[in-house]
Amino acid sequence: RSALDREMRGSYVLNITASPVVPFNGPVSISSTLVTVNVQDENDVQPQITPRVTVLSVNESIPIGTVLQSFICTDGDVSTSNSSVTSVTFSTASLSSLFALRAQNKSHVDLYLRTSLDYENSTFHGIVVTCRDAGTPQMSSTAAVSLTVTAVNEHPPQFGPEFTSTLYNTTVYENATVGSEVLVVSAMDPDSIGHGSIIYGLSGGNGKFTIDTGTGSIRLASLLDASLQNYYVLTVTAMDNTLSDGSTTYTTNALVGIIVLEARQDHAPILTPSSVVLNVLENATLGTPLTRFMCTDGDGDTTRLRIPQQVDGMGRFNLTADGQLLLAHSLDVEAKDTYSFIVECSDQRSNPLIDTSVVSVTVLPVNEHLPLFNSSQYSARVPEDFAVGLEIVSVFASDDDEGDHGRIAYEISAGDSDGQFSIDVAQGVIRLAKTLDFESQQQYTLTVVAYEALARTRRNSTSVMIQVIDINDNAPTCTPSVYRQTLPVNATLGYTVAALNCTDADLAAMGGMLNLKYSVAAADGQSANFNITTDGKLQLLRPIATTTIQIITIHVNISDGEMQTRVVLFITVPGLADSTPMFLQPVYITNVSDIVPADIFITQVQARDADPGQVITYSLSSLNPTDVQLFTINPSDGVITLARKFNTSLSTPRVYTLMAVVRDNGFPVRSSTVSVVITVYRGDEQQVIARPSSSRITISEDAQLNTLVASVMCIDDRGLQDGNFFASLTSGNIFSTFQLLANGSLSVARQINDSVLSYTLQFTCFDRSALGRQTISAIIVVTVTPVNTHTPEFDLDQYRDTVSEDAAPTH
């Protein structure tokens, strides 16, 4: 009565009782027995892993073996309840050695740290944990872990330029102004931003010097006098860890020796360019030349280029002796995207004069990572009446890039040319956009692409298979739904009156059409004379004899078991007919020149059949087969033309005697024959030929009087005209509808009678000269196109019929 579910109930115990059905007067014996039904489990429940999404932030100094997250895998199936976490995958394959799984039991595992973390190496890890069951087919689910690494202070600062110097020496003139820069010291800390930020301190120098705590720039605090003191020793302290996070703070000292020189006057050097703006990709290789500086001195002094402050540059740029600015340390736009520092040009005197240039560097991001889906294939099953707008399935991908380069967008790139589905660009949710139809398509395989939303350059794809489940939502359809058939005279038992062309979209989509059921619902009291077969053929059970035309209306119901439709057949039963088609003339005689071209009109034979509804056809025969091959006859209108040009000229006329045959389409077939005598004359006898030799023209039945229909021309067999030639309309002009003027123009002479649908007009050219040249006729067939001038009329004033209350739509 309802579907079984092993997860809800594993067995049933049934009490079966047997007792007599027919009552009788004696005691009634009843017997019973117990039947136990055990429900076997199928793997139809996807295992579940919890938690599905975990976001962690851990310190890079946490010990190896630390458990980061525990996962529980459960399965609602009974027989496959031994589901277990079987694998762990990572967004970057090279980091797979950092983490591992440790099983507590089959359904409980811990994700733990396998090797030490390093914030400077990687600040983020994406991990996917997979849970699979043991059933067939195997099913799985996944959990995503986003792990952010935070930094600790691990390294003391180091002084430059190669971050190994602890002693600096410089000179300064005694007339240097207060505030002028004497020297810039630079320290570098490999720790991350915050922990690696440097604060400078200064001791010694009797208060003559100060240091910028942020840049390391040592400047003159008060005036110098070389006669009083010409050498100073300063101690510079570099301290890291500007964060108040409890981490250890490291310091490093360096000594600075300053020689005070007597005053001098000269020209300052000139540094070009005076300012530089650079754009550098974050993946630029170390040593990449960025720009070049030129330092010149009007005094001819030796000059020196350097970067005196590197707080902002953090030692990431170097300046060579010849002025090349090089990239000295890798860039990371996620850590810092702009730098600004000074390049200094100075002479080599004890109290140097300087010129500076400001360098501004913008780090451009590089999209380094591909988006990764958490599954290589997704699948879903939906019924064909699934509501538009509802969610079908959701896909998920992640990207290790930071910022906009790590923002994922989704699109359907293939498999949905008709726009049947839509996808949320940001969330990856696939929804139904148009109504499904199982009968049109049973399965869709979509290609979904995840791409980096900013530049769309890095892309990855997955497959989504959507299976449409059929429901019976289509009634059978028949083409046509109304048949008008004519029963042949003397039709015998088993004759197929009509073969119904019926299909059911539901059954056809499932590969079968034999389940349609046919039944005769009504047949004007003639049900006993007809039978409908299982494949939809309406057959005659017994002959119907009538002396007059009779129309029988038959209703046939077609059902697929739930829905049905109806076909109506109007069957015309003609009265018995036995007339033979007869030619209109006892013999047809004509002549033709032996030099006329092929396809020229020779003559036309015509016949009539007194039986109504008969279609007659024409053919040619002869006792000499080669004679027939010279001529062809149109099977529908009896026009005879020359099949090919005569091969040789004749010394004397030659006569061809053919037999034209006409047949009807009755049962049995009836036919008659007539002789066609064609005399072929020598070409030098100069026949007169009508042009065109044959033509078919269409004219509207409402054509106005004097409307030009065609033009007829008389020429001899050499193509020449003669004033003695004239044309005459010799036959076929029913009701004198057309007129032939002296100039050969054929026009409408009176209103076209709508009872005549076609005119076969025969023209003959005559020669009035003493030569009396032979003449050849031509045929023009004029077909009348009806004009809708009449209002349709019903054949009855009132119609009556019955219909079942459960009749299907379109019945």
Side-chain angles (χ1 to χ4, degrees):
R1 296 182 179 179
S2 62
L4 297 175
D5 188 348
R6 178 61 181 86
E7 287 68 46
M8 298 297 295
R9 187 168 180 178
S11 65
Y12 297 83
V13 178
L14 310 179
N15 186 4
I16 309 299
T17 302
S19 61
V21 176
V22 180
F24 58 90
N25 295 327
V28 177
S29 297
I30 299 176
S31 179
S32 63
T33 187
L34 295 179
V35 176
T36 300
V37 179
N38 293 319
V39 181
Q40 294 183 349
D41 186 39
E42 288 189 355
N43 190 23
D44 57 353
V45 179
Q46 186 179 30
Q48 299 297 317
I49 184 170
T50 57
R52 293 294 301 277
V53 177
T54 302
V55 179
L56 300 175
S57 178
V58 298
N59 193 291
E60 66 175 322
S61 63
I62 64 171
I64 296 174
T66 299
V67 174
L68 303 174
Q69 180 64 50
S70 295
F71 296 94
I72 302 297
C73 183
T74 59
D75 193 326
D77 286 308
V78 174
S79 62
T80 59
S81 60
N82 57 343
S83 299
S84 61
V85 180
T86 60
S87 66
V88 57
T89 56
F90 307 92
S91 58
T92 305
S94 62
L95 299 179
S96 61
S97 61
L98 290 175
F99 309 97
L101 294 175
R102 179 187 299 122
Q104 300 296 334
N105 52 51
K106 286 188 176 180
S107 62
H108 179 185
V109 297
D110 293 332
L111 177 68
Y112 69 94
L113 185 63
R114 190 174 182 181
T115 58
S116 298
L117 296 173
D118 186 355
Y119 176 89
E120 285 70 38
N121 188 27
S122 180
T123 62
F124 177 80
H125 303 278
I127 307 168
V128 176
V129 180
T130 303
C131 166
R132 294 185 174 87
D133 62 22
T136 302
Q138 190 177 64
M139 305 181 75
S140 65
S141 63
T142 59
V145 179
S146 297
L147 188 145
T148 301
V149 182
T150 60
V152 296
N153 192 19
E154 301 175 287
H155 307 93
Q158 298 173 340
F159 281 98
E162 300 301 331
F163 310 114
T164 59
S165 298
T166 57
L167 177 62
Y168 293 83
N169 289 295
T170 188
T171 59
V172 62
Y173 283 97
E174 63 179 345
N175 63 343
T177 58
V178 174
S180 61
E181 185 176 80
V182 178
L183 176 69
V184 176
V185 296
S186 178
M188 174 66 184
D189 192 320
D191 286 314
S192 62
I193 298 174
H195 294 132
S197 298
I198 306 297
I199 298 177
Y200 297 93
L202 181 66
S203 61
N206 299 326
K208 293 291 185 179
F209 304 93
T210 62
I211 190 167
D212 188 308
T213 59
T215 65
S217 174
I218 300 174
R219 295 181 180 272
L220 192 61
S222 63
L223 293 176
L224 299 173
D225 187 343
S227 62
L228 296 178
Q229 186 173 345
N230 62 1
Y231 186 74
Y232 295 87
V233 177
L234 310 179
T235 300
V236 178
T237 301
M239 181 177 66
D240 66 6
N241 190 20
T242 60
L243 299 179
S244 299
D245 60 353
S247 300
T248 303
T249 298
Y250 295 95
T251 61
T252 301
N253 294 329
L255 296 179
V256 178
I258 302 176
I259 299 173
V260 181
L261 303 176
E262 293 180 357
R264 57 111 186 189
Q265 290 183 350
D266 61 359
H267 300 89
I270 298 174
L271 178 62
T272 56
S274 60
S275 64
V276 178
V277 177
L278 300 173
N279 293 319
V280 183
L281 291 174
E282 67 171 326
N283 65 343
T285 57
L286 300 184
T288 297
L290 306 178
T291 189
R292 185 168 187 171
F293 293 94
M294 295 291 293
C295 182
T296 58
D297 190 289
D299 300 317
D301 293 338
T302 302
T303 58
R304 182 181 68 168
L305 286 168
R306 66 171 184 151
I307 301 175
Q309 52 181 333
Q310 276 284 48
V311 171
D312 191 36
M314 296 174 60
R316 297 188 183 272
F317 306 94
N318 274 346
L319 194 62
T320 64
D322 62 351
Q324 287 274 7
L325 181 65
L326 306 177
L327 182 63
H329 195 279
S330 60
L331 301 174
D332 186 355
V333 72
E334 287 80 15
K336 186 173 178 61
D337 59 1
T338 61
Y339 298 90
S340 180
F341 54 92
I342 299 285
V343 171
E344 180 183 279
C345 166
S346 64
D347 56 27
Q348 296 296 302
R349 299 192 182 186
S350 58
N351 188 19
L353 298 178
I354 62 173
D355 190 15
T356 59
S357 175
V358 179
V359 180
S360 298
V361 179
T362 299
V363 182
L364 302 180
V366 175
N367 193 6
E368 301 175 281
H369 304 285
L370 281 174
L372 295 176
F373 282 96
N374 62 358
S375 178
S376 61
Q377 186 179 62
Y378 298 81
S379 62
R381 289 165 50 88
V382 291
E384 63 176 318
D385 60 352
F386 198 70
V388 171
L390 292 184
E391 176 181 343
I392 298 175
V393 67
S394 179
V395 299
F396 174 77
S398 59
D399 192 320
D400 286 344
D401 289 311
E402 296 292 334
D404 288 337
H405 284 299
R407 183 163 54 87
I408 300 297
Y410 302 90
E411 68 178 5
I412 299 173
S413 64
D416 187 28
S417 58
D418 294 332
Q420 196 74 43
F421 307 94
S422 66
I423 188 168
D424 188 301
V425 175
Q427 302 299 323
V429 176
I430 298 176
R431 302 179 186 275
L432 185 64
K434 294 182 180 179
T435 303
L436 294 171
D437 185 10
F438 177 87
E439 290 69 44
S440 299
Q441 189 163 347
Q442 296 82 48
Q443 182 174 292
Y444 297 84
T445 301
L446 310 180
T447 299
V448 175
V449 174
Y451 58 89
E452 178 269 306
L454 180 64
R456 302 175 67 99
T457 54
R458 292 186 175 268
R459 306 162 67 88
N460 212 338
S461 64
T462 188
S463 175
V464 179
M465 182 177 295
I466 300 175
Q467 184 175 355
V468 183
I469 302 172
D470 184 41
I471 62 172
N472 190 5
D473 58 346
N474 294 281
T477 58
C478 300
T479 305
S481 60
V482 176
Y483 287 76
R484 300 183 184 277
Q485 303 290 102
T486 298
L487 197 65
V489 177
N490 299 326
T492 59
L493 173 65
Y495 175 79
T496 299
V497 180
L500 304 189
N501 181 27
C502 299
T503 61
D504 187 294
D506 295 308
L507 297 174
M510 292 185 291
M513 291 167 31
L514 300 179
N515 291 331
L516 294 179
K517 307 296 183 184
Y518 300 84
S519 60
V520 177
D524 288 346
Q526 298 282 350
S527 299
N529 293 329
F530 297 95
N531 174 60
I532 189 77
T533 63
T534 57
D535 58 351
K537 294 179 180 178
L538 184 69
Q539 295 181 335
L540 188 67
L541 286 180
R542 56 177 60 85
I544 300 176
T546 178
T547 57
T548 60
I549 295 177
Q550 180 180 358
I551 298 177
I552 301 173
T553 303
I554 296 179
H555 297 263
V556 177
N557 287 340
I558 302 94
S559 172
D560 63 7
E562 296 180 12
M563 308 178 76
Q564 71 174 22
T565 189
R566 174 173 289 190
V567 170
V568 180
L569 299 96
F570 298 98
I571 301 174
T572 300
V573 182
L576 294 176
D578 57 359
S579 299
T580 298
M582 300 300 294
F583 284 97
L584 302 185
Q585 296 179 203
V587 64
Y588 291 85
I589 301 174
T590 187
N591 54 73
V592 64
S593 167
D594 65 351
I595 62 174
V596 296
D599 298 325
I600 194 169
F601 172 84
I602 303 299
T603 189
Q604 181 184 27
V605 297
Q606 291 180 298
R608 296 287 185 270
D609 193 315
D611 292 330
Q614 294 295 318
V615 177
I616 59 176
T617 56
Y618 300 93
S619 62
L620 286 177
S621 66
S622 174
L623 294 178
N624 187 350
T626 58
D627 291 353
V628 177
Q629 295 174 4
L630 282 171
F631 305 93
T632 60
I633 188 169
N634 189 305
S636 59
D637 60 13
V639 172
I640 299 173
T641 56
L642 186 63
R644 65 174 185 270
K645 188 176 180 180
F646 296 108
N647 292 331
T648 58
S649 298
L650 300 175
S651 57
T652 59
R654 179 175 176 179
V655 178
Y656 294 89
T657 301
L658 309 177
M659 190 70 68
V661 182
V662 62
R663 294 179 175 83
D664 63 16
N665 64 335
F667 181 81
V669 175
R670 299 182 183 276
S671 64
S672 63
T673 60
V674 69
S675 295
V676 179
V677 179
I678 302 172
T679 302
V680 181
Y681 292 90
R682 289 177 52 189
D684 56 5
E685 294 181 358
Q686 296 185 1
Q687 291 183 317
V688 182
I689 304 171
R691 284 289 185 270
S693 61
S694 64
S695 179
R696 295 180 180 275
I697 297 171
T698 300
I699 189 172
S700 174
E701 74 169 295
D702 61 352
Q704 300 297 314
L705 299 182
N706 298 318
T707 297
L708 179 65
V709 179
S711 294
V712 179
M713 179 174 61
C714 295
I715 58 174
D716 62 20
D717 47 19
R718 295 169 299 176
L720 302 178
Q721 290 182 298
D722 193 312
N724 291 313
F725 298 163
F726 70 95
S728 176
L729 180 54
T730 53
S731 68
N733 193 13
I734 303 173
F735 303 130
S736 300
T737 303
F738 303 98
Q739 60 184 352
L740 184 63
L741 303 181
N743 63 0
S745 297
L746 176 68
S747 62
V748 178
R750 63 176 58 195
Q751 183 66 43
I752 296 176
N753 193 316
D754 59 4
S755 64
V756 181
L757 299 181
S758 178
Y759 297 83
T760 302
L761 306 178
Q762 182 170 357
F763 300 85
T764 303
C765 286
F766 295 96
D767 181 12
R768 287 180 292 213
S769 68
L771 296 176
R773 285 169 283 204
Q774 302 293 327
T775 62
I776 292 181
S777 300
I779 290 293
I780 294 180
V781 178
V782 180
T783 301
V784 179
T785 302
V787 176
N788 190 12
T789 58
H790 300 290
T791 301
E793 297 181 355
F794 287 100
D795 54 357
L796 298 176
D797 294 332
Q798 187 179 54
Y799 294 82
R800 294 180 179 272
D801 203 349
T802 58
V803 63
S804 173
E805 64 176 342
D806 60 351
T810 72
H811 175 75

